[in-house]
Amino acid sequence: MKTTLIPLLFAALALTACTGVKVPEQYTKSEKLPPIYPDYREVTIPVNIAPLAFEMDAPAEEMVARFSYDGMEMLCGGDAARPDMDEWREMTEKAKGKAIQVEVFARNNGEWTAYKPFSIHVSPDSIDPYISYRLISPSYVAYEELTINQRCLENYDESVIYDNMLCGTEDDGQCINCHNYQMYNPQRMQFHARQYMGGTVIAYDGKLRKINMRNDSILSAGVYPTWHPWLPYIVYSTNKTEQVFHTRDLNKIEVFDEASDLIAYNLETNEVTNLENDPEEFEVFPFWAPDGKTLYYCSAHFEFPDTIDHSLQVIHRAKEVKYNIYKKDFDSNTMRFGPRQLVFNADSLDMSATLPRISPDGRFLMFTLGAYGCFHIWHRDADLWLIDLLTGQKRAMEEINSDNTESYHTWSSNGRWVVFSSRRDDGGYTRPFIAHIDKDGKGAKPFELPQENPDYHRQFLKSYNIPEFMKGPVTFKPQDFADILKTEAEPVKYKPLQRP
């Protein structure tokens, strides 16, 4: 009998066998779909995704699941359905462009129930083989125990890119954030370390550097990054960020900027330049269009009375802060930017738009829309929206959104998938969900990141932060990043902006 071993964290769970399992001969038919977790009913998946393991989301003494397509059959039983990796790959390859049928049987009080069958639709569109994310506990003081991890989407393999504890001490802590890649290339990446041994770490074609981006001529070191598609050139927002706690609001925390600008960093010259630094504008979340000719970003207009503390002003007037989406033309030959142009006027809807992301074909702009502010991961009303840049049509992505938070999102390199952060499971923890997007911008029902143990996310008490697609794994070891962080950072040089 073939069994699947469960990680030590879940050693108390029963093993599940997917061989030697039989469909019950006697059962009562139900017209209801089976209650399963994760909810993989009628989802669309990439042909190269890892097996979708699931369990009953209702009391059951035992379950049997039958996966079938065109004469092929897989049977799984026990406490959960865990398809065999090789059999799953064979079935999804044959079923691409079609659908796998799934039948679920559950036993209670010795009696079996056969639920209404459902389909798993297999798209011929593949997905990038890796994603990376930051794993962080939802604590608001002790943030030191966090990592940047990478996960192979074609199986369940996960490894640590960098562990925040490698440079920390009992007295001095560090915080890492904002990993980002140039065109999905894991050999060209960057992330920030703040506080102890802080600096921006840049990996570029086999070499590691630590950059001190602080300069008297800019607001702060770089925060939210976006690589130019081919140039050694990164645009950042610089932010003075604050955090406060709600006592009665369902949104537990408010994270906001009391100031923010845009800067550009040239890796070759080690120069940094202010792009936008209007004191009455909060600029944030830059993102390059795939053709490298346009920079998108968000900005909110906010005026401070001269005699009042700025951070207190933003706290008291937080719900007045509404971000719009803008763009600036860019000439890669002269390295100059044009004036800003309005793309989406969110404040005319009394809303706030953040995180603009352009599809690889340049046609669609996906963004997050909430009632106010820029840190929508803490806002339950935040949803994903889509602009068709060809037609100008703007709409909420109702086919993807839930009644809880949808926030950070990234397009796959072929433009047929998005991975996004959602709190739809329990409202407290952020999980990665993946959805297919067709050529017309229509999304299919999202599915949760598959795990070998389907109960994994219910017991894993960390949030997934900033999911990013990658064309392969980062090959630097965690200690390589720790070693470079322990060195002295290269100070940047300031270069004034050249206007057209």
Side-chain angles (χ1 to χ4, degrees):
M1 180 176 289
K2 188 175 182 180
T3 59
T4 302
L5 295 177
I6 300 173
L8 291 178
L9 178 62
F10 307 104
L13 295 176
L15 298 182
T16 299
C18 281
T19 58
V21 176
K22 295 182 180 180
V23 173
E25 295 180 358
Q26 295 184 345
Y27 49 78
T28 301
K29 281 191 174 182
S30 172
E31 292 304 312
K32 297 180 179 179
L33 288 170
I36 62 171
Y37 175 81
D39 181 8
Y40 292 140
R41 301 168 302 182
E42 302 298 333
V43 297
T44 299
I45 63 170
V47 64
N48 59 327
I49 198 70
L52 303 189
F54 60 84
E55 63 187 359
M56 294 299 294
D57 199 23
E61 298 162 356
E62 185 182 356
M63 70 171 293
V64 171
R66 175 162 56 192
F67 300 78
S68 59
Y69 174 75
D70 194 26
M72 294 183 62
E73 184 177 279
M74 283 188 295
L75 290 177
C76 298
D79 68 334
R82 297 183 179 90
D84 176 80
M85 183 76 70
D86 293 335
E87 292 179 8
W88 173 266
R89 286 174 177 168
E90 182 181 0
M91 184 174 285
T92 53
E93 179 61 31
K94 290 186 177 180
K96 64 183 179 182
K98 305 294 183 180
I100 296 170
Q101 187 180 60
V102 185
E103 301 163 86
V104 175
F105 305 81
R107 180 167 61 87
N108 272 299
N109 299 319
E111 302 291 331
W112 286 94
T113 298
Y115 288 94
K116 182 180 178 180
F118 64 90
S119 295
I120 295 175
H121 304 273
V122 184
S123 170
D125 298 320
S126 62
I127 198 167
D128 296 293
Y130 278 82
I131 59 170
S132 57
Y133 37 77
R134 192 172 66 149
L135 293 178
I136 183 169
S137 300
S139 58
Y140 318 118
V141 179
Y143 52 75
E144 285 88 352
E145 189 180 339
L146 62 92
T147 59
I148 301 174
N149 285 30
Q150 57 189 357
R151 160 72 190 272
C152 180
L153 293 176
E154 298 178 336
N155 54 44
Y156 306 114
D157 292 346
E158 183 181 42
S159 60
V160 174
I161 295 176
Y162 179 65
D163 186 337
N164 193 63
M165 300 293 284
L166 288 175
C167 287
T169 69
E170 186 176 349
D171 298 321
D172 296 295
Q174 191 180 77
C175 178
I176 50 172
N177 65 350
C178 298
H179 55 283
N180 189 257
Y181 307 90
Q182 185 179 46
M183 292 300 288
Y184 312 93
N185 184 352
Q187 302 305 312
R188 295 182 176 183
M189 71 167 293
Q190 73 95 69
F191 68 87
H192 303 302
R194 295 182 296 190
Q195 298 177 340
Y196 185 58
M197 296 184 178
T200 297
V201 174
I202 297 178
Y204 198 81
D205 293 349
K207 296 182 179 180
L208 288 178
R209 298 170 63 188
K210 179 183 176 183
I211 307 299
N212 177 7
M213 215 165 287
R214 293 185 179 276
N215 186 279
D216 291 343
S217 297
I218 62 177
L219 180 65
S220 72
V223 180
Y224 302 115
T226 179
W227 286 75
H228 188 273
W230 66 85
L231 294 173
Y233 196 63
I234 307 174
V235 171
Y236 296 91
S237 65
T238 55
N239 306 67
K240 286 188 176 180
T241 303
E242 304 287 345
Q243 177 177 269
V244 295
F245 297 84
H246 291 290
T247 57
R248 286 184 269 180
D249 198 307
L250 284 176
N251 296 322
K252 301 175 184 177
I253 300 173
E254 202 61 62
V255 180
F256 60 91
D257 290 331
E258 64 175 79
S260 55
D261 296 328
L262 294 184
I263 63 170
Y265 173 66
N266 189 318
L267 277 69
E268 288 186 340
T269 64
N270 197 33
E271 293 174 332
V272 66
T273 299
N274 275 310
L275 299 183
E276 290 285 336
N277 59 347
D278 186 333
E280 294 183 351
E281 292 286 329
F282 295 161
E283 299 95 352
V284 71
F285 298 134
F287 189 80
W288 286 103
D291 64 4
K293 297 178 180 179
T294 309
L295 179 74
Y296 290 81
Y297 65 98
C298 301
S299 185
H301 186 76
F302 194 87
E303 297 182 17
F304 293 98
D306 291 339
T307 58
I308 300 178
D309 180 89
H310 281 198
S311 62
L312 288 177
Q313 265 292 291
V314 182
I315 292 171
H316 292 307
R317 297 168 55 197
K319 294 187 178 181
E320 297 178 26
V321 183
K322 314 283 184 175
Y323 286 80
N324 297 321
I325 299 176
Y326 296 89
K327 67 178 182 179
K328 297 170 74 70
D329 294 333
F330 176 71
D331 187 329
S332 61
N333 294 316
T334 63
M335 302 293 284
R336 293 185 178 184
F337 291 88
R340 79 174 189 175
Q341 306 167 54
L342 182 65
V343 175
F344 181 70
N345 191 12
D347 64 3
S348 68
L349 305 175
D350 198 28
M351 300 292 280
S352 184
T354 62
L355 295 167
R357 296 290 183 267
I358 313 301
S359 60
D361 63 2
R363 177 173 175 180
F364 299 107
L365 188 162
M366 190 178 293
F367 62 97
T368 303
L369 191 71
Y372 65 93
C374 67
F375 217 74
H376 284 150
I377 192 61
W378 287 110
H379 292 181
R380 291 173 178 247
D381 67 333
D383 282 331
L384 296 178
W385 275 56
L386 193 75
I387 300 176
D388 186 332
L389 297 175
L390 185 64
T391 66
Q393 180 188 14
K394 308 169 182 67
R395 67 177 184 89
M397 301 197 73
E398 300 295 351
E399 70 274 27
I400 287 180
N401 294 324
S402 70
D403 58 1
N404 215 303
T405 306
E406 269 71 55
S407 181
Y408 196 93
H409 48 278
T410 306
W411 293 89
S412 65
S413 62
N414 62 6
R416 287 292 169 257
W417 304 94
V418 290
V419 60
F420 62 95
S421 301
S422 179
R423 292 192 172 173
R424 66 187 63 196
D425 273 354
D426 54 27
Y429 291 90
T430 308
R431 315 291 188 208
F433 281 75
I434 298 170
H436 184 262
I437 308 294
D438 69 17
K439 62 181 180 63
D440 298 315
K442 179 70 173 177
K445 178 181 176 179
F447 64 94
E448 192 166 348
L449 176 68
Q451 297 288 353
E452 186 172 13
N453 186 328
D455 207 48
Y456 183 88
H457 283 150
R458 285 176 163 169
Q459 300 192 39
F460 184 63
L461 304 182
K462 288 191 176 183
S463 285
Y464 293 72
N465 182 255
I466 314 181
E468 292 279 358
F469 282 114
M470 307 144 70
K471 290 183 176 179
V474 173
T475 54
F476 284 107
K477 304 301 181 187
Q479 192 59 50
D480 296 334
F481 290 116
D483 289 343
I484 196 69
L485 278 168
K486 292 174 183 177
T487 65
E488 192 72 24
E490 303 174 41
V492 295
K493 297 173 284 186
Y494 180 74
K495 179 180 179 180
L497 176 67
Q498 293 180 303
R499 300 289 182 183

